[in-house]
Amino acid sequence: MRIPLSYDADASSIVFPTEVKISVAGAPWVPLPAELRYDMADPYAVRLCMGAPLVPSIDWVFARSLLMEGVRRPSGIGDVVVIPRHRCDPDSVRILLRTRTGAALLAARAVVVMDFLRRSEALVPPGTEHHHVDVDRLIDRLTAGRE
């Protein structure tokens, strides 16, 4: 199966269009367009962007290492928890998103998540993320407007 994506071997980012299923407060699953994004400029993070085509997306940013670990074993203790494939649903990886006001459970196709992670690892191998952090730019952003 071929997955449509925005990827170029010389590119500094990847975008995987996909669809996730979402359930809030135990309600039935609802399909939702989504994208998994990775950018070398923010090498420790992945973005999960969800929303209808003509509506601004809702973006969750979390550690790539959390997603990498979560496809093998349950991972995360904060706002994002990743739960690997299970015999009851072997084709999906579940992602629990929590806020102070509630939680949503997402199911993403495991093959998409695994392919996304392989491509992100090809751009920035795990353990080399620190080579891609622009410290000067980060300091400029943190000190903007202060003199």
Side-chain angles (χ1 to χ4, degrees):
M1 179 177 84
R2 190 158 168 76
I3 300 168
L5 59 102
S6 170
Y7 174 76
D8 179 337
D10 296 326
S12 63
S13 64
I14 55 174
V15 177
F16 267 56
T18 189
E19 180 179 270
V20 296
K21 293 183 287 185
I22 185 169
S23 177
V24 177
W29 291 102
V30 176
L32 188 64
E35 291 180 343
L36 286 166
R37 298 180 180 194
Y38 182 77
D39 193 314
M40 289 174 68
D42 193 2
Y44 291 101
V46 294
R47 290 183 182 280
L48 174 62
C49 308
M50 300 168 288
L54 299 176
V55 177
S57 67
I58 297 170
D59 298 353
W60 280 75
V61 180
F62 52 95
R64 177 175 71 159
S65 60
L66 174 66
L67 188 58
M68 292 168 72
E69 185 176 333
V71 297
R72 292 188 309 277
R73 63 179 168 267
S75 299
I77 57 171
D79 295 340
V80 180
V81 176
V82 181
I83 305 159
R85 298 187 248 196
H86 187 272
R87 67 184 181 309
C88 295
D89 190 5
D91 296 330
S92 71
V93 172
R94 302 230 173 158
I95 302 170
L96 177 63
L97 304 174
R98 297 187 277 214
T99 68
R100 281 180 261 134
T101 59
L105 183 61
L106 307 175
R109 293 184 55 222
V111 67
V112 172
V113 173
M114 295 301 292
D115 197 21
F116 170 77
L117 287 171
R118 276 191 290 279
R119 300 288 177 112
S120 76
E121 291 170 5
L123 283 178
V124 178
T128 67
E129 294 90 349
H130 62 283
H131 294 297
H132 301 277
V133 176
D134 184 345
V135 177
D136 292 333
R137 183 173 146 247
L138 180 60
I139 291 171
D140 286 345
R141 287 182 62 197
L142 290 172
T143 59
R146 296 182 190 164
E147 303 216 10

